[in-house]
């Protein structure tokens, strides 16, 4: 599988705002990103659709068409929209899952590499096979979605009484 990427160390395409990596912040953050869910990685580790990104490369931009999700094999990615950083994702983490769950909706955020990374691309066919063969996989994806939604709730509604 070939994924077209851009490099945030050079001008990004018009549809992708350039990530603010600052002086060394990306490499410091990349080393601090913990592994997410080794069980997810274990389910796809032998898949052949590997995508390699160099530090600073954009995997996809907000508004791009979605056709797969990605499992981080090595390295670290950052999910952001505009100036808001949603999450840094390490090995065993997933990105792009909303596009498959929602049926190819446009990407809701930009994802780029904080460090040289290897990802495993999971297309529709593989996603639905994983859900059918390993129902726990579907639960793990839902847990990621739920955790991210709760984080957004805390960010925009910090007072839990509201």
């Amino acid at each position: 599988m070939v994924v077209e990427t851009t490099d945030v160390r050079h001008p990004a395409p018009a549809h992708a705002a350039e990530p603010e990596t600052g002086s060394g912040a990306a490499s410091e953050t990349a080393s601090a990103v913990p592994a997410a869910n080794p069980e997810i990685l274990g389910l796809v580790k032998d898949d052949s659709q590997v995508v390699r990104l160099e530090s600073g490369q954009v995997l996809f931009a907000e508004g791009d068409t979605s056709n797969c999700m990605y499992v981080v094999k090595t390295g670290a990615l950052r999910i952001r929209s505009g100036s808001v950083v949603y999450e840094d994702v390490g090995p065993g983490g997933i990105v792009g899952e909303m596009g498959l769950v929602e049926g190819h909706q446009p990407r809701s955020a930009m994802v780029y590499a904080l460090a040289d990374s290897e990802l495993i691309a999971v297309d529709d066919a593989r996603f639905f096979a994983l859900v059918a063969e390993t129902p726990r996989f579907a639960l793990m994806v839902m847990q990621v979605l739920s955790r991210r939604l709760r984080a957004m709730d805390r960010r925009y509604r910090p007072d839990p009484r509201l």
Side-chain angles (χ1 to χ4, degrees):
M1 164 177 254
V2 175
V3 174
E4 289 186 32
T5 61
T6 57
D7 188 331
V8 296
R9 294 169 296 192
H10 303 290
H15 68 280
E18 183 172 334
E20 299 166 17
T21 55
S23 59
S27 60
E28 291 170 18
T29 305
S31 62
V33 177
N37 188 333
E39 191 175 350
I40 290 177
L41 186 55
L43 290 171
V44 298
K45 69 178 172 30
D46 296 326
D47 286 17
S48 62
Q49 295 186 0
V50 176
V51 176
R52 289 174 181 80
L53 296 176
E54 292 180 8
S55 180
Q57 277 189 299
V58 174
L59 177 62
F60 54 78
E62 192 167 341
D64 283 355
T65 303
S66 61
N67 59 2
C68 62
M69 64 174 260
Y70 300 89
V71 178
V72 180
K73 188 173 180 181
T74 62
L77 304 178
R78 174 162 287 169
I79 305 169
R80 76 182 284 164
S81 179
S83 63
V84 178
V85 173
Y86 292 146
E87 183 176 351
D88 292 343
V89 181
I94 62 174
V95 297
E97 73 287 343
M98 288 173 55
L100 292 182
V101 171
E102 292 181 300
H104 300 284
Q105 292 296 309
R107 299 290 189 188
S108 63
M110 171 194 286
V111 174
Y112 60 94
L114 291 174
D116 291 355
S117 302
E118 281 193 355
L119 319 171
I120 299 167
V122 177
D123 62 15
D124 274 348
R126 181 67 175 131
F127 180 80
F128 291 117
L130 283 165
V131 169
E133 295 164 8
T134 312
R136 173 123 176 83
F137 172 77
L139 182 59
M140 290 183 283
V141 170
M142 287 187 282
Q143 288 169 338
V144 169
L145 289 166
S146 177
R147 180 180 47 75
R148 289 179 179 160
L149 180 58
R150 287 181 187 277
M152 294 299 288
D153 284 348
R154 284 190 302 275
R155 175 176 283 151
Y156 294 106
R157 191 184 64 190
D159 185 349
R161 297 172 292 167
L162 299 178

